[in-house]
Amino acid sequence: MSPRSTVVEARRTRARIIDRSVALASVDGLEGLTIGRLAGDLGLSKAGVLGHFGTKEALQLATLERASALFTALVWDPASAAQPGLRRLRAVCQNWIDYLDHAREVFPGGCLFTTASIEFDAHDGPVRRTVARLLMVWRRRLAGEVRLAVEAGELPADTDPEQVVHELTGIYLALNQALQLLRDPFAATRTRRALDRLLPVLAD
């Protein structure tokens, strides 16, 4: 096998490990990730898994970054071509519902970031800081769309973007809980009603 083929295969194996880690962490949490479980699930040796990351913490950090990229691909990217401001924000919000309600192949246990934020909110260290950073990036992106909506006259001039984002976050935390813990079949419908109260619907 050529050196180039070896590098390509190593990258593929690393990607397989991380994708499996995302799925497991959404169910068992980042602390629930074990080298033995990953090795067994993927047909690899423990040394083969550990060799790609070195430490469990490095694996956790790589898992968070991959989960963030998947979340962006599922929630933000499909809405990116919509008109900036309220229309794009509402499209993002609809994709966010779909992500929580249907993305079971990728996140079988629901929102990994909700799980991680609860798991690490009372801790310090690189994992907690990464969770907080990624969530703040998302909040800033949402707040940016709210500001664009205000500038376009789609929302009142005195709208506080940070307050809107705070309320949106609460709505989606409630949705994740209703879906995962309560198995509420009306969770998505209730979420859309809450969004309609917070964000006006623009006429096409």
Side-chain angles (χ1 to χ4, degrees):
M1 183 179 291
S2 70
R4 182 174 181 180
S5 297
T6 302
V7 170
V8 171
E9 184 59 32
R11 288 175 178 168
R12 287 175 180 166
T13 300
R14 179 183 170 87
R16 286 178 61 218
I17 295 169
I18 294 174
D19 283 345
R20 184 58 184 157
S21 296
V22 168
L24 290 176
S26 77
V27 176
D28 298 327
L30 289 166
E31 288 288 62
L33 289 177
T34 66
I35 302 301
R37 171 72 183 278
L38 286 166
D41 285 358
L42 297 171
L44 301 170
S45 68
K46 291 183 180 180
V49 174
L50 192 59
H52 286 275
F53 302 96
T55 66
K56 181 175 179 177
E57 184 177 88
L59 172 63
Q60 290 171 329
L61 294 173
T63 299
L64 284 169
E65 296 293 348
R66 177 59 175 157
S68 178
L70 290 168
F71 177 84
T72 298
L74 290 167
V75 177
W76 180 266
D77 290 351
S80 61
Q83 181 179 325
L86 190 56
R87 282 186 173 82
R88 184 156 65 190
L89 182 59
R90 287 194 62 96
V92 166
C93 287
Q94 179 55 53
N95 294 339
W96 202 350
I97 293 172
D98 293 340
Y99 148 78
L100 288 172
D101 203 11
H102 302 300
R104 295 296 178 225
E105 290 185 6
V106 180
F107 298 99
C111 182
L112 188 152
F113 292 100
T114 299
T115 301
S117 66
I118 295 170
E119 193 176 13
F120 285 90
D121 62 356
H123 297 267
D124 198 8
V127 176
R128 181 189 186 279
R129 290 194 292 272
T130 299
V131 173
R133 174 179 60 80
L134 292 171
L135 289 175
M136 287 305 300
V137 167
W138 179 241
R139 286 181 176 229
R140 285 195 292 269
R141 181 172 280 187
L142 294 173
E145 290 304 314
V146 176
R147 291 188 181 94
L148 290 173
V150 171
E151 292 169 5
E154 298 166 341
L155 291 173
D158 62 351
T159 297
D160 179 353
E162 299 302 330
Q163 181 64 33
V164 173
V165 172
H166 183 83
E167 293 181 36
L168 280 174
T169 301
I171 288 170
Y172 283 94
L173 287 172
L175 173 59
N176 191 72
Q177 183 185 75
L179 289 170
Q180 293 299 124
L181 183 64
L182 305 179
R183 303 289 194 264
D184 180 0
F186 301 105
T189 298
R190 296 184 195 284
T191 300
R192 293 187 184 95
R193 289 174 184 165
L195 288 173
D196 287 345
R197 290 191 182 101
L198 183 61
L199 303 173
V201 179
L202 294 176
D204 294 330

